[in-house]
Amino acid sequence: KAGVTQTPRYLIKTRGQQVTLSCSPISGHRSVSWYQQTPGQGLQFLFEYFSETQRNKGNFPGRFSGRQFSNSRSEMNVSTLELGDSALYLCASSSKQGSGTEAFFGQGTRLTVV
Amino acid sequence: DQQVKQNSPSLSVQEGRISILNCDYTNSMFDYFLWYKKYPAEGPTFLISISSIKDKNEDGRFTVFLNKSAKHLSLHIVPSQPGDSAVYFCAAAVLGGYQKVTFGTGTKLQVIP
């Protein structure tokens, strides 16, 4: 069974640009969550999608958005990039919505904003 | 507002000894707790969980203890092995709800051979 796949693995963008990250969950998983990991901040929750609907949202500005497709694949978009957006972006999939079951993480996308 | 706190950013332990990683939480609504392990260049992997109806859960070398009155949980690894060297994240959630899972900032464990 394939794991969670995130593309691309690495990305370098300049300030002001926008970026789209992709996540393919484990087959059969309908919940996809996105996290931002920065040194000293742990994993900061961005949002969760279940059945193409955003179910939960973290405390991030509107520049961060996402969507989920009918095949459960998800994309995350960050517009007007800032230097502080440099981070590891992790996607996690689970079979259930919300909590109650462990999530399976992808390897992440390392975004560097210069 | 950091609802899940791991106050020790790093920990060094000798191989074969016990590793104890600590986690505190502030939200009394949390009733489900998880530990994840993360190696460099990889995503976190689930390690062990515990619900609030228990105070201990054991899986091989890993045991998680929950003290609800103190809002504290700990992960014990016995015996510690060099392959355990990783960053450990504590996480908390409201079981069955729509609440997001809240992660701590992580503790980097180094097991010295």
Side-chain angles (χ1 to χ4, degrees):
Chain A
K1 196 174 190 181
V4 179
T5 305
Q6 290 188 247
T7 55
R9 289 290 311 278
Y10 303 93
L11 207 48
I12 300 175
K13 290 283 188 180
T14 56
R15 276 182 300 175
Q17 286 188 308
Q18 68 105 27
V19 66
T20 299
L21 312 181
S22 179
C23 172
S24 293
I26 290 173
S27 178
H29 283 191
R30 295 165 63 191
S31 172
V32 173
S33 298
W34 288 90
Y35 295 85
Q36 181 195 65
Q37 185 189 5
T38 53
Q41 292 296 314
L43 294 165
Q44 302 289 312
F45 174 79
L46 280 153
F47 25 66
E48 178 192 7
Y49 286 87
F50 185 86
S51 294
E52 303 178 63
T53 302
Q54 188 181 91
R55 301 291 184 173
N56 272 300
K57 192 176 192 306
N59 297 323
F60 278 81
R63 300 185 296 108
F64 292 82
S65 63
R67 59 178 175 169
Q68 187 180 33
F69 302 94
S70 58
N71 61 358
S72 293
R73 189 178 71 85
S74 178
E75 286 183 348
M76 190 193 97
N77 185 277
V78 188
S79 62
T80 321
L81 283 165
E82 300 177 359
L83 295 179
D85 297 332
S86 295
L88 179 67
Y89 290 88
L90 290 159
C91 162
S93 79
S94 60
S95 57
K96 297 179 185 177
Q97 177 184 346
S99 63
T101 184
E102 65 268 23
F104 295 83
F105 284 83
Q107 290 181 294
T109 294
R110 173 72 63 183
L111 172 66
T112 303
V113 182
V114 297
Chain B
D1 176 28
Q2 194 70 32
Q3 296 187 53
V4 179
K5 301 177 185 178
Q6 293 176 258
N7 292 318
S8 299
S10 63
L11 176 68
S12 287
V13 171
Q14 208 71 32
E15 180 180 3
R17 307 292 290 267
I18 183 172
S19 295
I20 300 176
L21 295 94
N22 293 304
C23 178
D24 297 294
Y25 60 96
T26 57
N27 188 342
S28 57
M29 296 294 291
F30 289 143
D31 57 3
Y32 187 64
F33 306 89
L34 311 95
W35 285 93
Y36 284 82
K37 179 167 79 171
K38 185 181 184 300
Y39 293 117
E42 293 184 14
T45 55
F46 170 75
L47 199 55
I48 192 169
S49 63
I50 187 169
S51 76
S52 59
I53 62 173
K54 294 184 175 181
D55 53 20
K56 175 183 172 182
N57 189 25
E58 195 171 349
D59 184 2
R61 297 186 297 113
F62 302 90
T63 303
V64 56
F65 295 92
L66 175 63
N67 182 335
K68 291 188 291 292
S69 60
K71 294 192 180 67
H72 176 85
L73 64 155
S74 60
L75 175 68
H76 293 210
I77 306 173
V78 182
S80 300
Q81 299 174 354
D84 296 329
S85 297
V87 177
Y88 289 79
F89 289 98
C90 167
V94 176
L95 190 66
Y98 293 116
Q99 302 297 317
K100 58 181 171 64
V101 178
T102 302
F103 283 82
T105 52
T107 296
K108 185 175 183 179
L109 172 66
Q110 182 184 19
V111 180
I112 303 165

